[in-house]
Amino acid sequence: MKLLVVEDDPPLQAALVRLLGRWGYACERAGTAAEALAWLEQEHFDLVLLDLGLPDRDGLAVCRRLRSLPRHQPLVLILTARDGRRDKVQGLEEGADDYVVKPFDPELLRARLRALLRRADRPLQCELSWGPLRLQPGQTTVLVHGRPLDLTPKEALLLEQLLRARGGQLSKASLLHGIGDGRREVGDDALRAHMRNLRLKLSAAGTAPTLIETVYGIGYRLDPAASS
Ligand code: CA
C-alpha cells in the first residue's frame, strides 16, 4: 500500500507522513503540483492525499490530470482548508474519491482512508462513458449506441484517455505517453494516423464526426456538447 502526500505546508506535511507511517502506510511526499505530477507519472500509488492550495497550481488541476492518465488510477482524498460546498462538489466532480476538511481529526482521517482503501480492494472497473460511447477500461471493444465496435489496442487507449479527461483537452505529448507505454516510440504522425482511424470508425458507427475535436496547437478533446 503506497500513498502520496501532496502538501506544501512543511510542518503539516511532516505530521501527515509521520501519522501515515505510524498507521503502516508507506508514503512519498510532494510540496507542489509539479512534484506531485512527476511522482504520479513514474510510480504507482494506491492513494493520493491532495491539498488544494498549492503554490504552483490548484490541486484540482492535479486531480484532473491524474484522471486523464490511462492507467495507474490511484484513489484521491482531498485534504483542504476550503470547506465550501461548491469546492467539495467540484473536487468530487474532478474525480476525487473523498474530501476531508482541515483542521482534521486524525482518527477521522484514518477511518476515511481505511474505508477508501477497503473499497479499492474490491476491484471495480468503472465504465467510462460519453454521449453514445461506453468503454470498460483495458478493453478494446467500445459500445457505440449500444452496439460493439472493435478498436486496435492503441485506438482503445487513445479513446480511454479522452473519456477519462471528460471533455478536457489532452496534449499530444500526454496522449503519446499513454499509448507508447512511456517510451517515445510513436511520433506525432502516428498519433494523427491512430486518431484519424479512430474518428473514422466512430463516425461509421454513428457518432457525430466532430465527437473528437482537434485543439489546435495542443492536442485533442471530446466535444463537451456531445456528453449526453
Ligand atoms: Ca496548502
Side-chain angles (χ1 to χ4, degrees):
M1 205 56 84
K2 193 163 173 197
L3 276 59
L4 178 66
V5 174
V6 187
E7 172 60 60
D8 63 319
D9 178 53
L12 181 55
Q13 189 197 67
L16 281 167
V17 169
R18 212 165 36 239
L19 270 177
L20 294 169
R22 199 185 307 152
W23 296 338
Y25 301 114
C27 52
E28 298 291 351
R29 55 184 87 191
T32 63
E35 266 176 49
L37 290 173
W39 271 117
L40 291 164
E41 293 197 359
Q42 56 187 322
E43 289 214 18
H44 171 87
F45 290 94
D46 297 287
L47 185 142
V48 182
L49 267 180
L50 182 64
D51 179 25
L52 292 186
L54 295 169
D56 51 345
R57 286 171 81 182
D58 194 285
L60 286 178
V62 175
C63 201
R64 208 173 303 129
R65 173 78 188 92
L66 201 159
R67 289 302 178 228
S68 71
L69 293 175
R71 40 187 92 77
H72 293 343
Q73 291 279 332
L75 297 159
V76 176
L77 192 152
I78 289 180
L79 192 56
T80 179
R82 296 182 201 166
D83 64 351
R85 185 176 167 275
R86 220 178 123 252
D87 288 317
K88 262 182 221 179
V89 170
Q90 205 185 349
L92 296 172
E93 278 182 349
E94 296 289 0
D97 298 283
D98 205 353
Y99 203 104
V100 172
V101 174
K102 294 176 194 164
F104 59 89
D105 167 3
E107 284 310 313
L108 170 77
L109 177 65
R110 188 182 190 184
R112 293 280 188 87
L113 281 174
R114 278 181 164 169
L116 272 180
L117 291 165
R118 231 187 353 253
R119 214 167 74 197
D121 252 0
R122 286 173 263 133
L124 206 151
Q125 284 282 44
C126 258
E127 184 185 70
L128 301 168
S129 66
W130 193 258
L133 306 179
R134 302 273 177 281
L135 178 70
Q136 288 289 343
Q139 301 210 345
T140 54
T141 303
V142 58
L143 291 180
V144 184
H145 294 295
R147 285 185 298 276
L149 169 68
D150 287 327
L151 303 176
T152 66
K154 295 223 190 258
E155 289 161 5
L157 280 172
L158 281 178
L159 184 61
E160 188 178 319
Q161 292 181 79
L162 290 165
L163 287 165
R164 286 194 192 284
R166 307 194 54 76
Q169 57 195 34
L170 291 175
S171 71
K172 285 185 252 180
S174 98
L175 286 163
L176 278 170
H177 183 81
I179 61 172
D181 211 12
R183 296 182 301 278
R184 188 86 192 210
E185 62 182 24
V186 284
D188 283 6
D189 288 346
L191 176 63
R192 252 196 308 277
H194 290 311
M195 203 54 96
R196 188 177 55 236
N197 293 338
L198 177 59
R199 281 169 158 161
L200 284 173
K201 284 185 183 175
L202 290 176
S203 58
T207 69
T210 54
L211 181 66
I212 299 176
E213 295 182 342
T214 302
V215 186
Y216 287 97
I218 298 175
Y220 300 90
R221 68 169 185 174
L222 292 176
D223 177 7
S227 67
S228 52

